[in-house]
Amino acid sequence: MKKYIVGITGASGSIYGVRLVEELIKQGNEVHLVITDNGRKVLEFEIEVDFEDWIYSLERYEGRLVLCDIDDMFSSIASGSFRTHGMVIVPCSMGTLSKISCGVTDNLLIRAADVMIKEKRNLILVPRETPFNSIHLKNMLFLSDLNVTILPPMPAFYQKPKTIEDLVNITVGRILSSLNIESDLYDEWGTTK
């Protein structure tokens, strides 16, 4: 069983994080989920589901979901000794991205991302903001230069998406691909049906 850390912030687009967590767990991986207070509120508003009910629905995959307290700096994921196969923050607010860029580790989510950078492990940020201003772009460039993957949710229309679920799956499929995980959520160019 591989271990992944998934962070969900208060940016719009929590459906991406929900779908990623569900897909990782469905494929037999262990997911350490960290969600901000605003992330929880936005998730409930956008998806129209109670957060606790969503977590409960995942309990059928026993032992594969570890819900981490955003304020628990003693969590295992706050340490470089915690071995993980990757971390994704999806959606990633500009405030979170900025704190990661500046090394301000004031909660578990940002501390875990900081650990990924210092240990030179796979960190993927899915920024959900538009348009980007110069501060956003400079922070993203700085992190990209540190080998952080910046993966905005931009759908590939060559797949001819017909539903919102299709659009979400394209982005989640790209995230999984960046984690070297195979999925059938999107088709590579030249393989569309």
Side-chain angles (χ1 to χ4, degrees), residues 42 47 123:
V42 171
I47 301 177
L123 174 61

Side-chain angles (χ1 to χ4, degrees), residues 3-158:
K3 296 179 183 179
Y4 296 93
I5 302 168
V6 175
I8 297 176
T9 71
S12 182
S14 51
I15 186 65
Y16 297 111
V18 167
R19 185 73 182 92
L20 178 64
V21 168
E22 292 171 349
E23 189 65 23
L24 286 169
I25 289 174
K26 185 176 87 175
Q27 290 196 25
N29 300 294
E30 181 178 293
V31 174
H32 293 254
L33 175 63
V34 187
I35 187 166
T36 65
D37 293 337
N38 280 334
R40 187 179 292 220
K41 291 174 187 172
V42 171
L43 185 149
E44 290 183 331
F45 175 77
E46 290 185 343
I47 301 177
E48 298 180 337
V49 65
D50 181 76
F51 178 76
E52 300 301 330
D53 289 344
W54 175 60
I55 294 298
Y56 180 75
S57 75
L58 298 173
E59 288 184 0
R60 67 182 181 270
Y61 302 104
E62 287 184 29
R64 294 192 199 156
L65 179 67
V66 178
L67 187 58
C68 303
D69 182 338
I70 189 79
D71 296 314
D72 181 11
M73 297 299 265
F74 287 93
S75 171
S76 59
I77 67 171
S79 172
S81 66
F82 179 81
R83 300 295 295 178
T84 179
H85 292 85
M87 178 176 179
V88 183
I89 302 179
V90 52
C92 184
S93 69
M94 289 299 110
T96 297
L97 192 143
S98 174
K99 286 182 179 183
I100 295 168
S101 176
C102 294
V104 178
T105 58
D106 61 355
N107 66 41
L108 179 60
L109 177 63
I110 298 165
R111 169 61 187 168
D114 188 70
V115 167
M116 297 299 287
I117 293 169
K118 83 178 183 72
E119 297 293 332
K120 300 187 182 339
R121 296 183 185 146
N122 194 2
L123 174 61
I124 300 169
L125 305 181
V126 183
R128 240 301 302 127
E129 184 68 69
T130 193
F132 294 128
N133 67 34
S134 295
I135 297 169
H136 303 153
L137 293 168
K138 286 177 183 177
N139 285 335
M140 284 187 269
L141 177 60
F142 179 76
L143 290 169
S144 179
D145 287 343
L146 297 175
N147 291 320
V148 173
T149 300
I150 309 296
L151 199 156
M154 297 180 182
F157 286 97
Y158 66 81

